[in-house]
Amino acid sequence: MQSLIPLLSSLLLFTVVVTGHGFVESVKVGGSDYSGFMPFTDPWLDPVPVRVIRPIPDDGPVTLEDATTNKIICGNLVPTSAGIHAPIEPGEEVTFKWSRWPFEHKGPIVTSMARCGDNSCDGYDATGAVWMKIHQRGFINPDGLGNWWGTDELRANDLRWTVKIPDDLVPGAYLLRTEITAMHMPQAPQFYPSCTQLLVRGNGKAFARQQDLFAMTEIYKNADASINPNIWSPLPGYTIAGPDVATFVTEGAADPEDLPTNESTMPALTATPAATGTSRGPTQTDQAVIAKKRAKACRPKKKTGLTPGVSKRHITHEKRWSWLGL
C-alpha cells in the first residue's frame, strides 16, 4: 500500500498541472457581487451579458514577448469595454474570485488602478503613465514555509484576493487591474491580467504622486533574468517589477486632470444584476475554436528545437508520466 503513495502523489501533480489556467470569474465590489466575463460561455449567450470585468479571449496567459504591447494591460491587444461600472466608495474593499489556479503556477499578485476620467472607462485604452499600484504581494516566507508566494495565499483563501480602494480617493471612473505572474518555468513568465470597471463616488481629494505613476507597457520592457528566476531553487528574496505601492496624498499629488483620460462625456452606466440570456450552446466549430485557443497558450512562439505541435509544457507532462513508468 505504501508503494502506491508516490504513484498517487505524482498522478495528483499531473492532474493539477493539466487542468488549465484561471481567470477572475466574479468580483465583490463594496459588498455587492458581480459576475466576471466568462470567456467560454458568454460569447454564446443571447444576448451577450454585460459585465463589469472587461472581456478576455480565453484563460491563457500574456507572454513576455507581448508584455510591451497593449495586451498586457487588460488581456487584449485591442482595448475592450465592460459596458458597465461597479459603484464603490473610497476605503471600501474589492474581492476577486479566480476560477482556478494551479499550485505550481507560483508568483506575485499585483493590483493597480488607472483613472479613466469623470464619467466612463468604456473605450479607454489606459496607455501611458496613468497607472498606480495599490497592493502587491510577492515572495514571502511565513513561519519558514519556504517557497511561498502571493498565489499560495490566494489558494489558501479559496481563490479569493481582497484589496482596499485608497481612502479619500478622487472620484471618477477607474480601471482596477489585478495581475498574477506565473513563474513556474524559469525565464518564461506568464501574465494573467484582469480589469474591472469601477465608479468611485464621494468627494475625495487624494491621488497618487507623480513619481508613482507608470505605464503598464513599460514594466517589462527591459526585463532580465531577475523577472523570472528559478523559483524551484532557494531564493534569498524577490523584487516585484515596477514601482512600489503608490502613496496617496492630498497635497503634492499628480493632477488627475493632466492625465490622458477618456473623452466620453456620457455618464457611466452602473452595474445592475446582469441578464443571463439564453445560451445557444457552442457548436462543433465553436468547440474547435476553444480548443485551438487553449492549445495556443501552451505552444511556443519561437523555435525551440521541439517536435512541431509539442510545447515545453507538454514535454514536462510526458516526463512526469515517464517517471511513473507509463
Side-chain angles (χ1 to χ4, degrees):
M1 179 64 181
Q2 290 182 346
S3 63
L4 291 177
I5 294 178
L7 175 62
L8 293 174
S9 298
S10 298
L11 285 172
L12 177 60
L13 174 61
F14 179 83
T15 301
V16 173
V17 169
V18 300
T19 52
H21 308 109
F23 59 93
V24 178
E25 65 179 7
S26 65
V27 62
K28 177 175 283 189
V29 179
S32 297
D33 292 306
Y34 305 93
S35 174
F37 181 81
M38 313 300 279
F40 301 118
T41 57
D42 279 3
W44 291 279
L45 294 176
D46 185 16
V48 175
V50 180
R51 310 294 195 188
V52 298
I53 296 180
R54 287 190 166 187
I56 52 175
D58 48 41
D59 61 355
V62 178
T63 61
L64 186 58
E65 60 189 0
D66 285 330
T68 57
T69 70
N70 284 356
K71 192 172 183 180
I72 193 65
I73 298 176
C74 293
N76 270 298
L77 278 173
V78 179
T80 59
S81 299
I84 52 177
H85 301 65
I88 192 169
E89 300 288 336
E92 291 188 323
E93 291 183 337
V94 175
T95 297
F96 304 99
K97 173 63 169 64
W98 287 78
S99 59
R100 64 170 71 90
W101 198 255
F103 80 92
E104 86 284 359
H105 281 41
K106 293 174 179 284
I109 303 178
V110 179
T111 307
S112 306
M113 297 184 74
R115 190 174 185 274
C116 310
D118 294 334
N119 302 296
S120 174
C121 286
D122 287 343
Y124 183 59
D125 61 12
T127 58
V130 297
W131 291 95
M132 43 199 172
K133 282 187 184 179
I134 65 169
H135 185 267
Q136 63 182 11
R137 192 73 162 150
F139 179 70
I140 45 185
N141 189 23
D143 302 323
L145 289 177
N147 196 9
W148 191 262
W149 293 80
T151 52
D152 293 295
E153 288 194 349
L154 174 73
R155 287 173 51 83
N157 196 37
D158 194 29
L159 300 179
R160 288 175 168 81
W161 195 255
T162 299
V163 298
K164 178 185 174 185
I165 301 302
D167 294 323
D168 201 31
L169 183 64
V170 170
Y174 285 82
L175 284 177
L176 178 65
R177 177 187 182 275
T178 194
E179 174 192 88
I180 295 180
T181 303
M183 306 197 304
H184 50 295
M185 295 189 296
Q187 313 314 317
Q190 297 179 352
F191 307 102
Y192 296 83
S194 177
C195 291
T196 302
Q197 296 189 171
L198 302 179
L199 186 62
V200 177
R201 295 174 169 172
N203 299 299
K205 303 295 183 183
F207 203 70
R209 301 171 303 174
Q210 188 67 47
Q211 61 264 38
D212 294 325
L213 300 177
F214 65 95
M216 199 62 68
T217 54
E218 297 290 323
I219 291 291
Y220 307 110
K221 188 172 184 178
N222 298 310
D224 55 22
S226 65
I227 189 65
N228 192 175
N230 184 357
I231 64 172
W232 308 114
S233 297
L235 289 178
Y238 179 80
T239 301
I240 296 175
D244 292 331
V245 171
T247 299
F248 289 82
V249 295
T250 55
E251 295 184 7
D255 187 348
E257 300 301 324
D258 291 339
L259 301 177
T261 59
N262 191 353
E263 296 180 356
S264 173
T265 58
M266 296 293 292
L269 295 176
T270 54
T272 57
T276 57
T278 302
S279 176
R280 63 172 172 85
T283 64
Q284 289 184 341
T285 301
D286 298 331
Q287 291 171 339
V289 171
I290 291 173
K292 184 178 180 180
K293 286 183 176 181
R294 282 178 164 162
K296 184 179 179 181
C298 297
R299 186 181 304 141
K301 296 186 177 180
K302 296 183 179 180
K303 293 183 179 180
T304 60
L306 302 177
T307 302
V310 179
S311 73
K312 290 181 179 178
R313 184 176 175 190
H314 292 147
I315 284 182
T316 301
H317 297 163
E318 292 297 325
K319 286 181 178 178
R320 287 198 173 97
W321 282 115
S322 66
W323 296 340
L324 303 176
L326 300 174

